[in-house]
Structure formats: C-alpha cells, structure tokens
Amino acid sequence: MGYGDWVHDFVLKGDICYSATRNSLHISEHSFLVCEEGKSAGVFPQVPAAYGHLPQIDYTGKLIIPGLVDLHLHAPQFAFRSLGMDLELLDWLEIHAFPEEAKYRDTVYGLRAYTALVEDLKRGPNTRICLFATVHVPTTLLLMDLLEKSGLVCLVGKVNMDRNSPNALREADAETSAALTREWLDRCGAYKNCRPILTPRFIPSCTDTLMHYLSDLQKQYGLPLQSHLSENQREIAWVRELCPESSCYGDAYTRFGLFGGDVPTIMAHCVWPDATEIALLRSRGVYVAHCPQSNTNLSSGMAPIRRFLDAGISVGLGSDVAGGVHTSIFRAMADAIQVSKLRRFAGGHHEAPLTLEEAFYLGTGGGGAFFGKVGSFAPGYEFDALVIDDANTAPPFALTLRDRLERTVYLSDDRNIIAKYVRGVAISNF
Amino acid sequence: MGYGDWVHDFVLKGDICYSATRNSLHISEHSFLVCEEGKSAGVFPQVPAAYGHLPQIDYTGKLIIPGLVDLHLHAPQFAFRSLGMDLELLDWLEIHAFPEEAKYRDTVYGLRAYTALVEDLKRGPNTRICLFATVHVPTTLLLMDLLEKSGLVCLVGKVNMDRNSPNALREADAETSAALTREWLDRCGAYKNCRPILTPRFIPSCTDTLMHYLSDLQKQYGLPLQSHLSENQREIAWVRELCPESSCYGDAYTRFGLFGGDVPTIMAHCVWPDATEIALLRSRGVYVAHCPQSNTNLSSGMAPIRRFLDAGISVGLGSDVAGGVHTSIFRAMADAIQVSKLRRFAGGHHEAPLTLEEAFYLGTGGGGAFFGKVGSFAPGYEFDALVIDDANTAPPFALTLRDRLERTVYLSDDRNIIAKYVRGVAISNF
C-alpha cells in the first residue's frame, strides 16, 4: 500500500515556493515543477519542450513547497504526547517516557501504537524524519516496516541504554546492547526508504564500554548517528559528573569518535552549549536538531539558534515528540520564530529573531541536507513536495505567495495538504 | 438560523470536567449535567428525580467542559492574521493593522470579512468573546448582527481614536468620535446576546477631550470598558511622554474614571506593569486579558501572570487576533503555560509556571467572571458547554479525565468539538 503507484516523471502546475538561500525565497506563481527520475528538473514559467510529453497535474492556485524535514522524533512517545507537560526533563523521563518505552517489549502494543504514529505522519507535512525507537529490536523493525510502507523517507534508530535507566528498559550490559544492535542492523537490509541510524540515547544512559562498541559498529556499517546534547541544565551537570575528563558534553561523544567528523551526526536540542561546544559543533560538522516546542514544554530553555547560524553550524528542526506534542514541522517553524523573539528578554538582546524565511529554510533545506540534496526544488534535488490548498484561510484581498507561505506556516493543518510526494512518489491517502 | 431552536431544560450525559478552584478540577466521569432555564443545575452521578422528565442527550465517552472565554480579539484583524509577524507592535500597527481597519468603512468589505470571522468563531471552542471592531458605526453594527445570530455571547466595541492614527482611520475630532459612539450605542438596543462595550483604543489614540466624553457616555449608559495597557516598552515610553502627569500607564486611564472601580474594565496585555500599576490593577478590580501568543509574535514580552494571580488580580485569556493568529482559547491556554515556563529564563526564576489547571481556569472561569456567573458548571452558572470527542487522539492505554483535558488543550482542533451550548442554547452547525 502507499507507493510505487505513480509514474516517476511528471509535471506539477501551481504556485511554487522554496528557499533560494538560507534567508530568501524563490517564488514562482503559475509555474511548472518538473519531476524527472525522482528528482527536480527545476521550476519553469512554461513547460520546456523536452518535458512536453510528461503528464501534467494541475494544481492551479495551490501552493507547492518542498516536503518538511523532522530531525528528531521519539516514536514510542507519540502515544503519550501532551501528558505530563508540567514536569521537567529528568522527572518527565522517569515518570512518563521510560515506563511508556518499556511497553515496546510487547510487539502487539508496539504495532497498535506505531500504526497510529505512522498514520499521523502520512497525513502531515513531513516527508523526511529521523526517529528514535526503543531498545527493543522486534518493535524497532516493526516500526521500520510501517514506515517503509508509508513511502516516507526515514532514519530509524534502535536505542542503546545500559545504565541509569529503569530495569524494565535498561539493556543487561554493554555486550548485550551491542549484540542486539548488530542483530537489528543485520535485519535492516531490505528497506529502501527506511535506513538505520546509530542511537545512543544520551551520555547518561550509555557506559563507556557501550560507546566503544557503538564506535566499532559505526565504522563497520558506516552509520550516521543521532543523540541528545545540552538540553537541560540538570542534565548537563550530571554529564559533567559522569565525564569529568571531558571539556564539554559534546566532547564526551567526541572521545568515542561519535560526534561528527566522518560520522554524519545529529544532536538534538543544544540549548546550553558553551563557546567550547559551539566551536566543536562547528568543527565537527554536527547538525543541530532545534526542538523549540519541546524545549519550552520541558522548561529546558531557548536555544541560541542565531549564534549557530552565524557560526555556520548546520541546523534543522525537530518535533521532539513527545517533549513536543505536534509532529508537524510547520508548527516547529512557528515555534522557532516565536522562541527566538522571546530570547531577547532572556539576555539575547543582540540576536535578531528568526525570520519566516529562515525558519522555512531550517524546516526544509536546513534539515534536508542531512539526507543529501533534499528540501529544495533546485535542479537535482530529490523530489519531495507538498501541495497546499489554502483557500479556507483566504482573506478578502489578494495575498502574495510569500504571505500565503507565512499563513501556511502559522495556520495550516493536515486538512490543507492535498498531495504529498517523496522522491517523486505520491504518498497515498491524499 | 443558529439559536432558539433548542429546549432550554435538558440533561447531558458524559465525562464532565470544570474548575473547582483556580488551581483544581472538578472531575465527574459518566455523569449528568443538568441545564435548567439556561443555567447549570449541577453535575450528578445519577439524574435526580426532579429532573427525570427532562430530555437526555447521551454523550457517553465524550468530554464535557465549560465554553471558553476570549477577553480580547480585534475583529477586523482576523482577515490578515499571521501576516507581518516579523514586526513589532507600533510598526505592525502602522503597516498592517491600521490600513486594514480603514477598509471597514466599506460595509461590503466588512460583511465579507466579518462573516468569515464569525463562521470561524462558531466552529471554535469559545462561547464568550470581547471584541474590538473599528471606528466605523455601520460595520460595527453589522458585526453585532452577525454575532447576535451566531448565538455566541459577545461584548463588541466601536473603537475610539482621534489622534496619532492615519487619516483614513482617525476620527475628525473628539466631538465627532463621541457623537458617533452615541449613535452606535443608540442603535444597539435590540441585541440580546451581543452588548456594547466602550473601547478607547489606547491612550496614544485618544485625546484628553475624547476621554472626558467617553467617561460621560460610560456613566450615562452604564457601560463596561476595554482597552490596552503596558503591552510594549516603546508604547509605554510614548504614553509617559503623552501623559507626564500620570504615575503609570494605568493611571492615565484612571484620571478619566475609565480604569475599573465602578466601571467593569478589561485591560489587554499588561506585560510590563510596575509595582504601582499592579497595585492599581488590583485596587480598581481591573481584569487582565493575558494574550501570550500576541505578546510573543509582536516581541512584546512575557506577562507576569503569576504575580497577578498572587496579588489577587482577575485574569482571563485573550486570543488578541491578529497579534495572535489563533482564535481558539485552547491554544491560548497552552501558550500561557509555555510562556510562563520561559519566563524563568528572563529573570522570573521564583515564579512557578502556570499549571494546566490554572490555564484551564483562566480560559473558563477566570475570564468568564467578567460576564457574570460564567465558566463553570457549579449550580447557578450560565450554561455554556462544549462537548469534545477526543477519540482521534486516544492512545493504546487508559487516560484519566484530567489527562484527556490536557490533551484537549494541546492537541484538539475544531474537528473535536461535536456540540456547543451557550446559555443553554445549542449553537448550530455542529
């Protein structure tokens, strides 16, 4: 079900918008977007003769933008999103996240819960997603089955955790965790859209021995990596106790060769990096997954995104379900702008807030770059596209395409999405 | 259309929840809520014999809560909501709000725009709303016609502004503004659900002469009043220049007898009150309309709601469309909680964030008190109720009713509302 049922070469007609640069838009009303072999061949005012034979789909008056990219989502937390929002990170993990994740030992439970998640993701605006599963191999594979069938392109991680976690969730020891990870990796071979990503939960959950094993696995399988960094002040103090030899939290990963460099790496949050850590994020080419709603809900703080951008660090957006409660990266764009405005009242006076253009870039090309040429309609980019019908919010005056994009970011929901393409393939149920 | 088509005495069966106090919930699963002559007769585990003859409506498994109260919305700004969000207050007023409001001189335009607003409000969770219209009498009456037919209970203000506004919007002088206000008030007599509220825009827009006239009108007609207070630091500095004799912004209203006391008064925002102003808000019994999303979007700041509550000041929530972009007060509840968490990073370290219970109270009974006995199902309260079907977000485990309320606040949209009652009358189109 879901994909493979669409020709790969076609033309979409509509009002097309994507990021020209990090802070400007390419806008083409009444134009044509060509998909050739799953990639964009560009946007044209008229269909070029070379593409005249392709089928055209007429979305006149509709907005066509790149699919959105979520760099950070906890799949098993979707079921309890928006519960326990009165807690902070470490208490919330103990009371809500860990007990819920322990349930994914049960594949029947996992199937029910993950099916609801994947249905939500199909309906929403994201086309690329990086997900944490749990420590459990069978339900992690089950999640990958569901995502593979959805047509979305995902990176999914079986989580590693062998310390400082409840018995019901903690893996017996580093050897067990590594062996299960190898078993999982060896069973991921058949997936086309859904690939594995190495996922040590965070420093407090992983012994040094486990981190060494993961480093070996990373090299052997050539895996990308995702984890958490400098989310909460109590967490950072804890890492400092656990790793007195590290110059900063990021350095605690670096010492195992698991922080960028040759390892494509996403670190979620990065709310409280010091200058050392910012320099390290930059020099190691680590991607920051900015999760503004989660950082607000869990009272973590307001990440210094302007400083990251000025430093040339790669930044994308994350829903961080269930620290965040909404899967849509449109919501994360609006949240990112809003939090950046409030930062000035918390000592960030000289940092300009994020603009619409910047937030849109972060949620498309910014995070998309982790997946390769993704998040743009420039020629050669993989063809991920959303078609948005925004007629229900049309005011009694004409809007520019830029205005319509701003309204879509703030006001749209899944009802506005009328078609969704990933790598040139139409996602079903639209 | 819309109201008068429902018997006034009936019983709803379902899972019932309302604020017991400012920070606790009254929760009654599988219970019965009795509506008698447009008022709540209470919540019961079984239908009392005295009400046994009443028709019962079976909402088993659905959540039943009081209707929500929006203390601050600019009706003419709905059309351009979520545009210009990269600006701050005074620039945004000049570039977006004032030019748009000037269009409401045209009743054809006003009818189109206000119809879209009222349709949105009918679909949403709010049952009581305080609205600013514009300076124009005909379109203000047209808005009141539409709201009256909707069945929602509203307070609507023709706006007064005779200085510091563009020519297209500014009234010719204080006498003209007062005469138009009198004309408007004399044409409001027939409305049952929709009543007038005196609405000087804010101190910078109103000359002293106009304020004296409005004070006379207030006394003659016994009107409540709504305006803006201490929203933005540039605005406050401006008021200080305009009113050098006033001890604070609030005092500038008080000197004309237009700040609480015998005048039921709502002041929107109150982001930057000093101790003098907080004492004045309290001593004059002024209601604060807390508009967290607007204060974020327009980079105004984070209002000290915990301090207001500790001081015993009455607080409700406001959408402040179009500083805020969402009309739903569920969204304002979530925003209020979220902003209160971020305040700790802006020097508010000792203020506890708002809890779910508190935010729910602010959006129901807190603002509802401005309308009388509104925002509760305690016996004698006016019967405003929402019936919520939250099955679409049900997880694979049992939720408490309190959990379901938390999810409704964060996750619901208009699709979840399956019935809506105002003063015991069912709103149509559900």
Side-chain angles (χ1 to χ4, degrees):
Chain A
M1 142 186 179
Y3 71 96
D5 51 1
W6 194 264
V7 293
H8 279 232
D9 293 0
F10 56 90
V11 177
L12 303 186
K13 180 182 179 187
D15 298 327
I16 300 164
C17 181
Y18 64 95
S19 294
T21 67
R22 200 186 83 184
N23 50 25
S24 68
L25 299 172
H26 180 111
I27 283 176
S28 306
E29 290 185 275
H30 312 298
S31 293
F32 299 85
L33 170 62
V34 177
C35 177
E36 190 176 28
E37 295 183 359
K39 293 184 176 160
S40 171
V43 175
F44 306 94
Q46 302 295 335
V47 179
Y51 304 117
H53 65 290
L54 294 181
Q56 287 186 19
I57 308 172
D58 188 352
Y59 290 122
T60 296
K62 309 297 186 285
L63 196 58
I64 303 176
I65 62 174
L68 310 190
V69 180
D70 184 351
L71 287 187
H72 191 61
L73 183 153
H74 289 268
Q77 298 179 6
F78 178 78
F80 76 94
R81 68 200 187 286
S82 96
L83 298 179
M85 294 282 89
D86 292 340
L87 300 171
E88 288 191 37
L89 176 65
L90 298 183
D91 294 328
W92 177 84
L93 285 171
E94 289 294 328
I95 294 171
H96 286 276
F98 289 158
E100 178 66 19
E101 292 191 21
K103 297 180 188 171
Y104 289 75
R105 170 174 310 184
D106 174 358
T107 51
V108 175
Y109 184 86
L111 180 61
R112 285 182 64 192
Y114 283 153
T115 299
L117 166 66
V118 175
E119 287 305 308
D120 179 280
L121 296 176
K122 284 172 69 178
R123 279 193 303 272
N126 309 343
T127 53
R128 309 264 169 162
I129 311 170
C130 297
L131 304 96
F132 282 52
T134 61
V135 295
H136 312 96
V137 174
T139 41
T140 300
L141 290 167
L142 191 156
L143 172 63
M144 294 176 82
D145 285 345
L146 293 170
L147 289 169
E148 177 74 9
K149 285 183 196 138
S150 75
L152 302 170
V153 175
C154 296
L155 290 163
V156 175
K158 173 214 164 300
V159 173
N160 297 99
M161 43 202 302
D162 71 337
R163 68 171 174 182
N164 293 321
S165 323
N167 290 338
L169 197 58
R170 193 181 59 244
E171 297 173 295
D173 50 38
E175 289 69 24
T176 306
S177 181
L180 288 169
T181 304
R182 184 181 295 280
E183 178 198 335
W184 162 63
L185 290 169
D186 289 339
R187 293 171 69 182
C188 287
Y191 300 120
K192 176 183 150 221
N193 295 322
C194 194
R195 303 299 309 155
I197 181 167
L198 204 60
T199 306
R201 185 175 202 116
F202 66 157
I203 290 290
S205 313
C206 300
T207 60
D208 289 2
T209 311
L210 175 55
M211 293 296 270
H212 283 299
Y213 280 123
L214 296 183
S215 179
D216 292 343
L217 286 169
Q218 189 283 320
K219 288 189 193 74
Q220 186 187 340
Y221 289 83
L223 294 169
L225 179 139
Q226 61 183 354
S227 194
H228 296 92
L229 186 72
S230 296
E231 176 175 3
N232 169 291
Q233 290 173 313
R234 255 179 75 200
E235 169 214 18
I236 294 167
W238 192 15
V239 171
R240 204 174 295 125
E241 283 174 31
L242 291 168
C243 309
E245 72 290 359
S246 292
S247 62
C248 63
Y249 194 160
D251 183 52
Y253 293 103
T254 310
R255 297 164 80 91
F256 303 103
L258 297 174
F259 197 74
D262 294 335
V263 185
T265 297
I266 298 168
M267 286 286 155
H269 306 305
C270 307
V271 177
W272 299 104
D274 58 17
T276 306
E277 195 157 271
I278 290 179
L280 198 62
L281 285 165
R282 185 187 182 185
S283 67
R284 308 288 300 173
V286 170
Y287 277 69
V288 171
H290 175 41
C291 306
Q293 187 178 118
S294 169
N295 297 336
T296 299
N297 284 335
L298 298 177
S299 298
S300 300
M302 297 178 264
I305 301 305
R306 173 65 61 207
R307 291 177 63 197
F308 294 153
L309 296 177
D310 288 348
I313 292 168
S314 297
V315 181
L317 297 177
S319 66
D320 192 28
V321 164
V325 307
H326 298 98
T327 53
S328 167
I329 291 298
F330 283 134
R331 176 65 184 255
M333 293 176 187
D335 289 335
I337 295 170
Q338 290 173 331
V339 166
S340 76
K341 291 173 177 174
L342 294 180
R343 248 185 81 81
R344 63 181 279 193
F345 303 107
H349 288 87
H350 301 296
E351 298 171 17
L354 295 179
T355 63
L356 173 76
E357 284 77 0
E358 289 174 318
F360 181 67
Y361 172 76
L362 295 183
T364 55
F370 194 77
F371 288 86
K373 295 191 80 167
V374 170
S376 169
F377 293 143
Y381 272 73
E382 297 190 45
F383 194 94
D384 289 12
L386 301 177
V387 183
I388 307 281
D389 182 344
D390 56 352
N392 69 317
T393 58
F397 51 84
L399 291 173
T400 66
L401 195 43
R402 194 267 184 202
D403 289 342
R404 290 170 59 196
L405 180 68
E406 187 167 16
R407 286 172 84 97
T408 297
V409 167
Y410 284 93
L411 291 177
S412 71
D413 64 33
D414 54 299
R415 288 171 282 194
N416 297 98
I417 305 170
I418 60 170
K420 181 167 162 179
Y421 299 83
V422 187
R423 287 180 175 160
V425 177
I427 300 290
S428 67
N429 86 339
F430 286 101
Chain B
M1 141 186 177
Y3 71 97
D5 52 359
W6 194 265
V7 293
H8 279 233
D9 293 359
F10 56 90
V11 177
L12 303 186
K13 180 182 180 188
D15 298 327
I16 300 165
C17 180
Y18 63 94
S19 294
T21 67
R22 198 185 85 183
N23 50 26
S24 68
L25 298 173
H26 180 110
I27 283 177
S28 307
E29 290 185 275
H30 311 299
S31 293
F32 298 85
L33 171 62
V34 176
C35 177
E36 191 177 27
E37 295 183 0
K39 292 183 176 159
S40 171
V43 176
F44 306 94
Q46 301 295 334
V47 179
Y51 304 118
H53 65 290
L54 294 182
Q56 287 185 21
I57 307 173
D58 187 353
Y59 290 123
T60 297
K62 309 296 186 286
L63 195 59
I64 303 176
I65 61 174
L68 310 190
V69 179
D70 184 351
L71 287 188
H72 190 61
L73 183 154
H74 288 268
Q77 297 179 7
F78 178 78
F80 75 93
R81 69 199 186 287
S82 98
L83 298 178
M85 295 283 89
D86 293 340
L87 301 171
E88 288 190 39
L89 176 66
L90 299 184
D91 294 329
W92 177 84
L93 285 171
E94 289 292 327
I95 294 171
H96 287 276
F98 289 157
E100 178 65 19
E101 292 191 21
K103 296 180 188 170
Y104 287 75
R105 170 174 311 184
D106 174 357
T107 51
V108 175
Y109 184 85
L111 179 61
R112 286 182 63 190
Y114 282 152
T115 298
L117 166 65
V118 175
E119 287 305 309
D120 178 280
L121 295 176
K122 284 173 67 178
R123 280 193 303 272
N126 309 343
T127 53
R128 309 263 169 162
I129 311 169
C130 297
L131 304 96
F132 282 51
T134 62
V135 295
H136 312 96
V137 173
T139 43
T140 299
L141 290 166
L142 192 155
L143 172 62
M144 294 176 81
D145 285 344
L146 293 169
L147 289 169
E148 177 74 10
K149 286 184 195 136
S150 76
L152 302 170
V153 175
C154 296
L155 290 163
V156 175
K158 172 215 164 301
V159 173
N160 297 99
M161 42 202 301
D162 72 336
R163 68 172 174 182
N164 292 322
S165 323
N167 290 338
L169 198 57
R170 192 180 60 244
E171 295 173 296
D173 50 38
E175 289 69 24
T176 304
S177 180
L180 288 169
T181 303
R182 185 180 295 279
E183 178 197 336
W184 162 63
L185 290 169
D186 289 338
R187 293 171 70 180
C188 286
Y191 299 121
K192 176 182 149 221
N193 295 321
C194 195
R195 302 299 309 154
I197 181 167
L198 205 59
T199 306
R201 185 174 203 120
F202 66 156
I203 290 289
S205 311
C206 300
T207 60
D208 289 2
T209 311
L210 175 55
M211 293 297 270
H212 282 298
Y213 280 122
L214 295 182
S215 179
D216 293 342
L217 286 168
Q218 190 283 319
K219 288 189 194 75
Q220 185 187 340
Y221 289 83
L223 294 169
L225 180 140
Q226 60 183 353
S227 194
H228 296 92
L229 187 72
S230 296
E231 176 175 2
N232 168 292
Q233 291 173 311
R234 255 180 76 202
E235 170 213 18
I236 294 167
W238 192 15
V239 171
R240 203 174 295 124
E241 282 174 32
L242 291 168
C243 310
E245 72 291 358
S246 293
S247 63
C248 64
Y249 193 161
D251 184 52
Y253 292 103
T254 309
R255 297 164 81 92
F256 302 103
L258 296 174
F259 197 73
D262 294 335
V263 185
T265 298
I266 298 168
M267 286 287 155
H269 306 305
C270 307
V271 177
W272 299 103
D274 58 17
T276 307
E277 196 158 88
I278 289 179
L280 197 63
L281 285 164
R282 185 186 182 186
S283 66
R284 308 288 300 172
V286 170
Y287 278 70
V288 171
H290 176 41
C291 306
Q293 188 179 117
S294 169
N295 297 336
T296 299
N297 284 335
L298 297 177
S299 298
S300 300
M302 296 178 266
I305 300 305
R306 174 64 60 206
R307 291 177 64 197
F308 294 153
L309 296 177
D310 288 349
I313 293 168
S314 298
V315 181
L317 297 177
S319 65
D320 193 27
V321 163
V325 308
H326 299 98
T327 53
S328 167
I329 292 298
F330 282 135
R331 176 64 184 256
M333 292 177 187
D335 288 335
I337 295 170
Q338 291 173 332
V339 166
S340 76
K341 291 174 177 173
L342 295 181
R343 249 185 81 81
R344 63 181 280 194
F345 303 108
H349 287 87
H350 301 296
E351 298 170 17
L354 296 179
T355 63
L356 174 74
E357 284 78 1
E358 289 175 317
F360 181 66
Y361 172 76
L362 295 183
T364 54
F370 193 77
F371 287 86
K373 296 190 79 167
V374 170
S376 170
F377 294 142
Y381 273 74
E382 297 191 44
F383 194 95
D384 289 12
L386 301 178
V387 184
I388 307 280
D389 182 345
D390 56 351
N392 70 316
T393 58
F397 51 84
L399 291 174
T400 66
L401 195 43
R402 193 267 185 203
D403 289 343
R404 290 169 60 196
L405 180 68
E406 187 168 15
R407 286 172 84 95
T408 297
V409 166
Y410 284 94
L411 291 177
S412 70
D413 64 33
D414 54 298
R415 287 171 283 194
N416 297 99
I417 304 170
I418 60 169
K420 181 168 162 179
Y421 299 84
V422 187
R423 288 181 175 159
V425 177
I427 300 290
S428 67
N429 87 339
F430 284 102

